[in-house]
């Protein structure tokens, strides 16, 4: 019997429309659909509603579930590459192309700049991936990523079930680290040159 996980190892078909077998292309596909600031805001708002006796109504519940399925794919891809080293930075930390594909758009770049990563993790985002999986295993993260949108979209509240602050910080760290790796190391999305890649010569 063939292993179904080999056909769609990062569970991307449900949001990307097809399986992706390269973990870096999971990151590229994720951020070609939405910005890192979108995921940061969605994680915050969804977790806030998970602790309230109120249903998340800012967007369609299906969009919330889709967002967390995308985060699940990023988590699975991050686990595959978490032990890699990456490129250590010696450049000015605020150099636009280090954290933004479109450094000429100041508003977009400011929204793309990490909010919760340490300086060490900013210099080498693989450190954030290791830290992420020290907090929970992939199996535990899968359970959390299924529970969070479910709680946000119902009136059920169990304050003891979710450690909201820790979940927020770790999930945002994951997405910000994946975003930085995507900006710095990935040049193509599905075989097409990413927007802004002509600026990579500025490194």
């Amino acid at each position: 019997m063939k292993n179904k996980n080999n056909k769609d190892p990062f569970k991307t078909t449900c949001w990307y429309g097809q399986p992706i077998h390269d973990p870096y292309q999971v990151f590229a596909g994720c951020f070609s659909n939405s910005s890192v600031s979108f995921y940061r805001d969605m994680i915050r708002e969804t977790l806030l509603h998970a602790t309230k006796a109120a249903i998340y109504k800012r967007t369609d519940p299906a969009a919330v579930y889709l967002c967390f399925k995308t985060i699940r794919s990023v988590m699975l891809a991050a686990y595959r590459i978490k032990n890699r080293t990456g490129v250590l930075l010696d450049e000015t930390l605020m150099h636009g192309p280090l954290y933004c594909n479109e450094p000429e758009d100041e508003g977009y770049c400011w929204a793309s700049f990490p909010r919760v990563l340490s300086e060490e993790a900013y210099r080498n985002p693989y450190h954030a991936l290791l830290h992420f999986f020290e907090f929970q295993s992939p199996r535990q993260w899968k359970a959390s990523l299924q529970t969070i949108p479910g709680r946000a979209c119902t009136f059920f509240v169990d304050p003891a079930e979710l450690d909201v602050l820790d979940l927020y910080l770790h999930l945002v760290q994951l997405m910000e680290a994946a975003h930085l790796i995507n900006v710095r190391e990935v040049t193509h999305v599905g075989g097409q040159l990413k927007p802004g890649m002509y600026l990579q010569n500025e490194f």
Side-chain angles (χ1 to χ4, degrees):
M1 179 181 292
K2 293 183 178 179
N3 189 341
K4 292 182 179 179
N5 289 333
N6 292 332
K7 294 182 178 180
D8 193 3
F10 305 115
K11 311 299 181 189
T12 56
T13 301
C14 60
W15 59 270
Y16 195 69
Q18 62 187 32
I20 301 175
H21 294 87
D22 178 355
Y24 291 94
Q25 282 298 300
V26 174
F27 295 171
C30 166
F31 296 111
S32 69
N33 290 331
S34 301
S35 67
V36 67
S37 61
F38 164 82
Y39 290 104
R40 189 164 48 225
D41 292 345
M42 181 68 85
I43 291 167
R44 182 185 65 248
E45 292 299 320
T46 306
L47 279 168
L48 284 174
H49 278 78
T51 62
K52 298 178 180 179
I55 295 177
Y56 183 81
K57 296 181 179 178
R58 178 168 293 187
T59 188
D60 189 312
V64 178
Y65 279 94
L66 188 64
C67 174
F68 277 83
K69 286 182 182 297
T70 306
I71 295 172
R72 179 188 63 178
S73 294
V74 171
M75 179 273 293
L76 293 171
Y79 188 72
R80 177 77 63 87
I81 65 171
K82 64 182 174 62
N83 292 313
R84 298 184 186 178
T85 302
V87 179
L88 298 177
L89 301 181
D90 294 322
E91 302 163 74
T92 304
L93 294 183
M94 293 299 291
H95 186 49
L98 295 179
Y99 60 89
C100 182
N101 278 334
E102 301 179 26
E104 293 181 348
D105 186 339
E106 293 182 6
Y108 178 83
C109 280
W110 173 240
S112 299
F113 191 78
R115 301 295 196 267
V116 301
L117 293 182
S118 66
E119 181 179 333
E120 179 185 31
Y122 178 79
R123 289 181 180 276
N124 185 358
Y126 291 91
H127 284 301
L129 303 187
L130 285 170
H131 180 67
F132 180 82
F133 291 107
E134 288 172 358
F135 180 70
Q136 288 192 149
S137 69
R139 178 175 293 182
Q140 291 171 315
W141 276 118
K142 285 181 183 179
S144 295
L145 291 169
Q146 185 173 358
T147 299
I148 292 168
R151 293 293 177 260
C153 294
T154 66
F155 288 105
F156 179 85
V157 176
D158 181 358
E161 183 179 24
L162 297 174
D163 190 339
V164 173
L165 181 57
D166 275 341
L167 287 172
Y168 170 77
L169 291 173
H170 282 87
L171 287 171
V172 173
Q173 284 174 0
L174 169 70
M175 299 309 288
E176 290 185 344
H179 164 72
L180 292 180
I181 292 169
N182 178 54
V183 169
R184 297 171 186 174
E185 300 185 38
V186 184
T187 59
H188 289 74
V189 185
Q192 299 297 316
L193 188 66
K194 284 167 52 177
M197 279 296 104
Y198 65 92
L199 295 165
Q200 293 301 315
N201 292 332
E202 295 183 13
F203 276 85

